[in-house]
């Protein structure tokens, strides 16, 4: 469909509103479509995560607690 893959989404909200559940659903969709899903606990590993995603694209990076 020629839709560019470079997209960003920021989920913000109080604890318990479902941000992590969105990540789990996203991971399942990625697995079903043979995409790489990268979950980072902290933003400190983002540089390495981006390099990894470039090698194994298409990929989705989800960073908890930025």
């Amino acid at each position: 469909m020629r839709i560019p893959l470079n997209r960003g989404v920021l989920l913000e909200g109080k604890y318990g509103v479902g941000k992590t559940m969105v990540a789990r659903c996203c991971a399942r969709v990625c697995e079903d479509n043979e995409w790489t899903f990268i979950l980072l606990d902290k933003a400190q590993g983002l540089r390495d995560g981006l390099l990894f995603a470039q090698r194994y694209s298409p990929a989705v990076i989800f960073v908890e607690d930025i």
Side-chain angles (χ1 to χ4, degrees), residues 13-61:
K14 297 179 182 179
Y15 292 106
V17 297
K19 298 180 297 285
T20 302
M21 184 186 300
V22 170
R24 289 182 185 152
C25 292
C26 183
R28 188 175 307 127
V29 170
C30 287
E31 281 185 15
D32 291 345
N33 291 289
E34 299 180 356
W35 284 34
T36 303
F37 183 84
I38 302 165
L39 176 64
L40 300 175
D41 291 333
K42 297 179 182 176
Q44 294 169 339
L46 186 58
R47 179 176 297 187
D48 292 333
L50 289 170
L51 292 172
F52 190 86
Q54 286 177 342
R55 288 186 196 120
Y56 297 99
S57 67
V60 172
I61 300 175

